Amino acid sequence: QLAGTHHWYKCDAAKRDLGYKPVWSVAEGLALTIPSFRSLRNPNAPDEPVDVTTPYTAAEVALHNNEKDAWLIIDGKVYDITRYVDMH
């Protein structure tokens, strides 16, 4: 049971009976929310986006094979798993 989810009146029934309607559509909600993400941007992030379209060869990925720099290929996609190495 999640905290705060035990109600004597079911949420779906309350929405139906009380005539709940979302204040905004999903598109309107996103239009209101996304501009605020700019203020959350990492000030140290590079101005240029990282090129994620460059394919890596298996030999290139194999060079990233230690606890400070670990990459994996799963289903043809390359993943940098370095931050998870200590967890496993």
Side-chain angles (χ1 to χ4, degrees), residues 1-7:
Q1 185 76 11
L2 295 174
T5 60
H6 182 71
H7 306 288

Side-chain angles (χ1 to χ4, degrees), residues 15-83:
K15 288 177 183 178
R16 181 192 66 238
D17 296 346
L18 299 173
Y20 169 80
K21 301 236 185 314
V23 177
W24 297 293
S25 69
V26 172
E28 291 168 326
L30 288 172
L32 291 168
T33 304
I34 288 174
S36 68
F37 291 156
R38 290 186 192 106
S39 65
L40 301 175
R41 187 177 186 277
N42 178 354
N44 299 320
D47 289 333
E48 295 297 318
V50 177
D51 180 12
V52 294
T53 59
T54 303
Y56 294 100
T57 66
E60 290 173 308
V61 174
L63 297 174
H64 302 271
N65 61 3
N66 62 67
E67 63 186 27
K68 304 268 188 224
D69 184 30
W71 292 12
L72 284 179
I73 300 174
I74 301 173
D75 293 330
K77 295 181 180 177
V78 177
Y79 297 89
D80 181 349
I81 59 157
T82 306
R83 69 182 186 171

